[in-house]
mmCIF file of all heavy atoms in Angstrom:
data_model
loop_
_atom_site.group_PDB
_atom_site.id
_atom_site.type_symbol
_atom_site.label_atom_id
_atom_site.label_comp_id
_atom_site.label_asym_id
_atom_site.label_seq_id
_atom_site.Cartn_x
_atom_site.Cartn_y
_atom_site.Cartn_z
ATOM 1 N N SER U 329 -24.926 -13.067 17.973
ATOM 2 C CA SER U 329 -25.857 -13.506 16.921
ATOM 3 C C SER U 329 -27.304 -13.367 17.426
ATOM 4 O O SER U 329 -27.531 -13.348 18.624
ATOM 5 C CB SER U 329 -25.566 -14.947 16.501
ATOM 6 O OG SER U 329 -25.869 -15.850 17.560
ATOM 7 N N PRO U 330 -28.280 -13.246 16.511
ATOM 8 C CA PRO U 330 -29.654 -12.963 16.915
ATOM 9 C C PRO U 330 -30.203 -13.928 17.991
ATOM 10 O O PRO U 330 -30.928 -13.473 18.880
ATOM 11 C CB PRO U 330 -30.431 -13.121 15.592
ATOM 12 C CG PRO U 330 -29.446 -12.743 14.552
ATOM 13 C CD PRO U 330 -28.125 -13.273 15.033
ATOM 14 N N GLY U 331 -29.866 -15.196 17.913
ATOM 15 C CA GLY U 331 -30.358 -16.140 18.901
ATOM 16 C C GLY U 331 -29.368 -16.398 20.045
ATOM 17 O O GLY U 331 -29.578 -17.340 20.800
ATOM 18 N N ASP U 332 -28.350 -15.573 20.133
ATOM 19 C CA ASP U 332 -27.313 -15.676 21.182
ATOM 20 C C ASP U 332 -26.653 -17.074 21.127
ATOM 21 O O ASP U 332 -26.320 -17.649 22.166
ATOM 22 C CB ASP U 332 -27.879 -15.440 22.556
ATOM 23 C CG ASP U 332 -26.789 -15.183 23.619
ATOM 24 O OD1 ASP U 332 -25.642 -14.879 23.216
ATOM 25 O OD2 ASP U 332 -27.083 -15.320 24.828
ATOM 26 N N VAL U 333 -26.421 -17.608 19.905
ATOM 27 C CA VAL U 333 -25.696 -18.873 19.757
ATOM 28 C C VAL U 333 -24.193 -18.624 19.695
ATOM 29 O O VAL U 333 -23.422 -19.415 20.263
ATOM 30 C CB VAL U 333 -26.160 -19.618 18.502
ATOM 31 C CG1 VAL U 333 -25.485 -20.966 18.370
ATOM 32 C CG2 VAL U 333 -27.715 -19.798 18.520
ATOM 33 N N PHE U 334 -23.794 -17.564 19.027
ATOM 34 C CA PHE U 334 -22.373 -17.249 18.854
ATOM 35 C C PHE U 334 -22.106 -15.796 19.244
ATOM 36 O O PHE U 334 -23.009 -14.951 19.188
ATOM 37 C CB PHE U 334 -21.935 -17.482 17.408
ATOM 38 C CG PHE U 334 -21.891 -18.903 16.980
ATOM 39 C CD1 PHE U 334 -22.970 -19.474 16.340
ATOM 40 C CD2 PHE U 334 -20.764 -19.682 17.224
ATOM 41 C CE1 PHE U 334 -22.941 -20.816 15.932
ATOM 42 C CE2 PHE U 334 -20.717 -20.999 16.828
ATOM 43 C CZ PHE U 334 -21.805 -21.575 16.210
ATOM 44 N N GLN U 335 -20.841 -15.528 19.626
ATOM 45 C CA GLN U 335 -20.400 -14.155 19.877
ATOM 46 C C GLN U 335 -19.089 -13.918 19.140
ATOM 47 O O GLN U 335 -18.301 -14.851 18.889
ATOM 48 C CB GLN U 335 -20.177 -13.958 21.393
ATOM 49 C CG GLN U 335 -21.456 -14.072 22.222
ATOM 50 C CD GLN U 335 -21.245 -13.702 23.664
ATOM 51 O OE1 GLN U 335 -20.240 -13.092 24.036
ATOM 52 N NE2 GLN U 335 -22.218 -14.070 24.505
ATOM 53 N N LEU U 336 -18.872 -12.659 18.804
ATOM 54 C CA LEU U 336 -17.609 -12.216 18.159
ATOM 55 C C LEU U 336 -17.043 -11.113 18.986
ATOM 56 O O LEU U 336 -17.737 -10.180 19.430
ATOM 57 C CB LEU U 336 -17.872 -11.710 16.730
ATOM 58 C CG LEU U 336 -16.653 -11.156 15.974
ATOM 59 C CD1 LEU U 336 -16.768 -11.465 14.499
ATOM 60 C CD2 LEU U 336 -16.541 -9.625 16.176
ATOM 61 N N GLY U 337 -15.736 -11.214 19.245
ATOM 62 C CA GLY U 337 -15.065 -10.199 20.004
ATOM 63 C C GLY U 337 -13.584 -10.528 20.169
ATOM 64 O O GLY U 337 -13.058 -11.449 19.519
ATOM 65 N N LEU U 338 -12.915 -9.836 21.043
ATOM 66 C CA LEU U 338 -11.517 -10.099 21.333
ATOM 67 C C LEU U 338 -11.421 -11.099 22.509
ATOM 68 O O LEU U 338 -12.130 -10.983 23.459
ATOM 69 C CB LEU U 338 -10.776 -8.820 21.678
ATOM 70 C CG LEU U 338 -10.661 -7.781 20.534
ATOM 71 C CD1 LEU U 338 -10.153 -6.459 21.090
ATOM 72 C CD2 LEU U 338 -9.762 -8.300 19.419
ATOM 73 N N PHE U 339 -10.489 -12.078 22.377
ATOM 74 C CA PHE U 339 -10.270 -13.026 23.467
ATOM 75 C C PHE U 339 -8.777 -13.137 23.722
ATOM 76 O O PHE U 339 -7.937 -12.982 22.788
ATOM 77 C CB PHE U 339 -10.888 -14.375 23.114
ATOM 78 C CG PHE U 339 -10.212 -15.130 21.991
ATOM 79 C CD1 PHE U 339 -9.203 -16.053 22.278
ATOM 80 C CD2 PHE U 339 -10.571 -14.887 20.675
ATOM 81 C CE1 PHE U 339 -8.571 -16.719 21.238
ATOM 82 C CE2 PHE U 339 -9.942 -15.549 19.640
ATOM 83 C CZ PHE U 339 -8.937 -16.487 19.913
ATOM 84 N N PRO U 340 -8.420 -13.461 24.972
ATOM 85 C CA PRO U 340 -6.970 -13.470 25.317
ATOM 86 C C PRO U 340 -6.429 -14.897 25.305
ATOM 87 O O PRO U 340 -7.162 -15.905 25.534
ATOM 88 C CB PRO U 340 -6.966 -12.952 26.760
ATOM 89 C CG PRO U 340 -8.261 -13.450 27.316
ATOM 90 C CD PRO U 340 -9.243 -13.466 26.175
ATOM 91 N N VAL U 341 -5.116 -15.037 25.100
ATOM 92 C CA VAL U 341 -4.345 -16.277 25.315
ATOM 93 C C VAL U 341 -3.056 -15.886 25.979
ATOM 94 O O VAL U 341 -2.747 -14.726 26.133
ATOM 95 C CB VAL U 341 -4.103 -17.060 23.988
ATOM 96 C CG1 VAL U 341 -5.423 -17.432 23.301
ATOM 97 C CG2 VAL U 341 -3.242 -16.194 23.036
ATOM 98 N N ALA U 342 -2.274 -16.899 26.331
ATOM 99 C CA ALA U 342 -0.940 -16.680 26.895
ATOM 100 C C ALA U 342 -1.023 -15.728 28.110
ATOM 101 O O ALA U 342 -0.302 -14.726 28.146
ATOM 102 C CB ALA U 342 0.016 -16.168 25.856
#
Side-chain angles (χ1 to χ4, degrees):
S329 69
D332 195 18
V333 182
F334 291 95
Q335 296 186 15
L336 176 147
L338 294 170
F339 68 94
V341 299

